[in-house]
Structure formats: C-alpha cells, structure tokens
Amino acid sequence: SAVISQKPSRDICQRGTSLTIQCQVDSQVTMMFWYRQQPGQSLTLIATANQGSEATYESGFVIDKFPISRPNLTFSTLTVSNMSPEDSSIYLCSVVEQVQGTEAFFGQGTRLTVV
Amino acid sequence: ILNVEQSPQSLHVQEGDSTNFTCSFPSSNFYALHWYRWETAKSPEALFVMTLNGDEKKKGRISATLNTKEGYSYLYIKGSQPEDSATYLCAPARQLTFGSGTQLTVLP
C-alpha cells in the first residue's frame, strides 16, 4: 500500500493569504486526488492532479482558487488562494490502488483554520 | 456519481457499549463498498472491503454487513473502547465519493 506524507498537518492563516499543501508519495502514481472536508460535510473531491497536464477540477472548484502542481509522479501541491473563513477545512491528498475496486490511501490531512 | 449517505452524523457512547451505524448507497451497478476509519490527526485507513450481498466481515470487535439489494451496509462495534473514537467513512468502489461519515466518540 502507498505511504503518503502530507504537510503541514495544520495551520492558522489570515484571510486573504494563500497556503500551499504538499503531498509526497513513496511510489510513482499516475493520479493524485485532493479532497476537502468542511465541518459536518462529506469528504469532497476537489480535483485530480495529473502528471504532465493540467489538473481536472470538480464542479464548484476552480483553478484560480485551488491551483495544483504535479511536477512528477510522486509529488503534488494544492494551494488554497485568497483564503476566507469558509475555506476552513481538512484537506487530504489521496492515491488509489486497485484492490477489489478502487481503494484509496490518504495523507495525514491538513487542518486549516482561516481567521 | 453515486449518492452515499451515512447515519447518524455523530454518536456518543459509553465505554463498553455496543453500537452500529449505517451507510446507504444506490443498489444499481454495485461493485464493492469500502469502509474507512479516520482518527484525528491520522490518515484514513481501510477497514473492510464488502463485495457480495450478505457479506459479513470482522476485525476484532468491529464487524460489517452488506445488503446490496436494498443498498446499505452496517458497521458494528462491540464493547466500544475510547480508541475506537474516530470518523467512520464508507465509499463505493470504482468512484471517489465518500459518505459524510459517522463521528464516533467513546466516553471512558
């Protein structure tokens, strides 16, 4: 199973600033996924990070707000731009392996509080 | 994308109590269902993969059942312990959509 290192684990940020979250995987993976869990909400897919091409964003998420980098097959970053208190969430990166379907493996999560 | 619902959203039980919660999903085109446990400040970790109608899986005090015809899975915890406190997520396989989770708190 993949091991994912995600940082920072938590941060408190001022509104209007940006935060970049990093994920490092111990093996090469084609796709990495970024999720957000707002308080009391589902774990929601933000985008799929593809190596060598632009990320694919889900409905309601845009590149200007959540720019993603994927410079190689083991690393990705998600930036939360121009933050507002509504961006306070847990952000998770994930990869999948084919184990009786799609089993996800996750980073430790980044707990973001915007004040 | 399959609509996945979990209930209750949160649950507080006393140490030693047994408890259970539900994951509901559309029964059409079912392939498999994953259960994950997500402890605070840790990565979500896989608990079970449920594939067949009537499946029952067990890991220690935790077990899960599956009804694919009616589209639900139950997760049971027998004799809850404080270390069981976590958010329990379910997700159908072949997609990346999770339920909102059940946040379990076991009080000593």
Side-chain angles (χ1 to χ4, degrees), chain A residues 4 10 33 35 37 39-45 48 58 90 92 94 96 99-109 111, chain B residues 1 4 9 31-32 34 36 38 40-46 49 51 57 87 89 92-101:
Chain A
I4 305 173
R10 60 176 61 229
F33 304 91
Y35 289 88
Q37 187 183 42
Q41 305 279 324
S42 299
L43 197 59
T44 304
L45 182 63
T48 304
E58 299 299 307
I90 298 174
L92 281 171
S94 171
V96 297
V99 178
Q100 289 184 297
T102 304
E103 181 173 345
F105 297 90
F106 296 89
Q108 298 94 329
R111 184 178 293 272
Chain B
I1 294 181
V4 182
Q9 185 173 356
Y31 181 74
H34 294 275
Y36 294 87
W38 188 9
T40 302
K42 295 185 179 180
S43 307
E45 61 171 334
V49 181
T51 53
K57 298 282 179 80
T87 297
L89 297 166
R94 284 186 172 166
Q95 68 172 62
L96 301 166
T97 302
F98 291 81
S100 54

Side-chain angles (χ1 to χ4, degrees), chain B residues 36-80:
Chain B
Y36 294 87
R37 176 169 59 197
W38 188 9
E39 295 179 68
T40 302
K42 295 185 179 180
S43 307
E45 61 171 334
L47 277 176
F48 302 114
V49 181
M50 317 290 290
T51 53
L52 299 175
N53 186 45
D55 251 1
E56 183 169 347
K57 298 282 179 80
K58 189 173 180 181
K59 184 184 288 189
R61 294 178 290 99
I62 304 177
S63 60
T65 61
L66 179 68
N67 184 321
T68 60
K69 294 181 180 178
E70 296 183 35
Y72 64 84
S73 177
Y74 291 141
L75 190 79
Y76 299 90
I77 302 179
K78 185 178 177 182
S80 304

Side-chain angles (χ1 to χ4, degrees), chain A residues 9-27:
Chain A
S9 59
R10 60 176 61 229
D11 208 341
I12 300 173
C13 300
Q14 296 289 324
R15 68 177 67 200
T17 63
S18 298
L19 176 72
T20 295
I21 303 167
Q22 300 180 3
C23 268
Q24 180 77 49
V25 189
D26 68 344
S27 58

